[in-house]
Amino acid sequence: MAKTYNIIVIPDPVLKQTAQAVSRVDTDIQKQMDAMLATMYAAPGIGLAANQVNLLNRVLVMDLARTDKGEEKTPICMANPEIIWESEEMSTMEEGCLSIPRQYAEVERPAHVRVKYLDYDGKEAELEASGLLSHCVQHEIDHLNGVLFIDYLSTLKRNMIVRKVEKLKKQNIL
Ligand code: GNR
Ligand code: NI
């Protein structure tokens, strides 16, 4: 089993920082991807970006398989992901975030995106995503740019969520 990281929670300033591109996918980055997947599965979550584990390189992992329902794991690892196309059609979905525990809100994003990235083997790859996967990959790339889903909400809604998480932290029930 790969090691796991601790997931950082708002208002940690690392979540507002921009992550830096990796020069290539070497064994250190592969180890990081393995550990991020293990961290994400343990959480559990469907995606995780490097900022959330206090690393500021452009690495993210995802897996939408319902392993709780007997599905096989389908891990996706990306380095230096770039959205190279997004649809005009929009999609609204309820999102959550492991760095904003137990808070959910509707977020509107392009319904379909095409993403170019380096895969686990360091090869150039592309993914066309719709539905939950589209929301997830956009949510993760936002993290690498220091953007959180609450940044799309009104100031009032965002402040309510920030205060709720601070309250949960004070009560030590994260
Ligand atoms: O586990 C997660 N679920 C989720 C649901 C809707 C849209 C995005 C996500 S990503 C989130 C895990 C997380 O915080 N990734 O950064
Ligand atoms: Ni998140």
Side-chain angles (χ1 to χ4, degrees):
M1 254 294 267
K3 75 162 187 174
T4 57
Y5 297 112
N6 292 318
I7 297 175
I8 62 177
V9 168
I10 57 166
D12 194 311
V14 173
L15 294 167
K16 308 249 67 172
Q17 288 185 241
T18 303
Q20 299 302 309
V22 303
S23 50
R24 65 192 186 95
V25 179
D26 58 16
T27 53
D28 282 356
I29 298 292
Q30 289 178 329
K31 278 184 201 160
Q32 178 186 332
M33 287 168 165
D34 292 336
M36 284 176 63
L37 281 169
T39 305
M40 180 191 77
Y41 290 130
I46 60 170
L48 191 68
N51 306 47
Q52 294 179 275
V53 294
N54 226 337
L55 297 171
L56 282 170
N57 57 12
R58 300 186 78 80
V59 174
L60 66 84
V61 297
M62 302 183 288
D63 192 337
L64 270 67
R66 296 296 308 262
T67 51
D68 57 325
K69 301 224 165 127
E71 292 181 19
E72 293 298 319
K73 286 178 180 175
T74 53
I76 300 172
C77 300
M78 298 187 173
N80 300 345
E82 278 177 67
I83 295 174
I84 55 171
W85 173 80
E86 58 184 43
S87 65
E88 286 179 40
E89 185 194 337
M90 301 296 280
S91 159
T92 302
M93 213 175 258
E94 185 160 86
E95 297 195 11
C97 181
L98 295 169
S99 296
I100 312 173
R102 299 197 216 169
Q103 311 304 314
Y104 305 90
E106 303 240 297
V107 180
E108 186 184 43
R109 300 184 185 276
H112 314 280
V113 291
R114 179 168 277 274
V115 181
K116 189 179 114 176
Y117 61 98
L118 299 176
D119 68 14
Y120 188 87
D121 299 312
K123 284 192 308 192
E124 269 201 31
E126 284 186 16
L127 174 77
E128 185 150 325
S130 299
L132 182 57
L133 182 61
S134 177
H135 275 260
C136 188
V137 72
Q138 293 180 69
H139 173 121
E140 304 313 336
I141 292 171
D142 272 353
H143 273 301
L144 301 179
N145 294 326
V147 174
L148 301 171
F149 82 82
I150 54 173
D151 296 333
Y152 297 107
L153 309 179
S154 67
T155 308
L156 182 69
K157 276 191 188 169
R158 179 167 56 250
N159 287 341
M160 278 174 51
I161 288 178
V162 173
R163 288 196 193 102
K164 280 186 189 162
V165 173
E166 280 169 343
K167 193 172 165 187
L168 290 172
K169 278 168 78 172
K170 275 192 195 127
Q171 298 173 125
N172 271 318
I173 52 174
L174 295 187

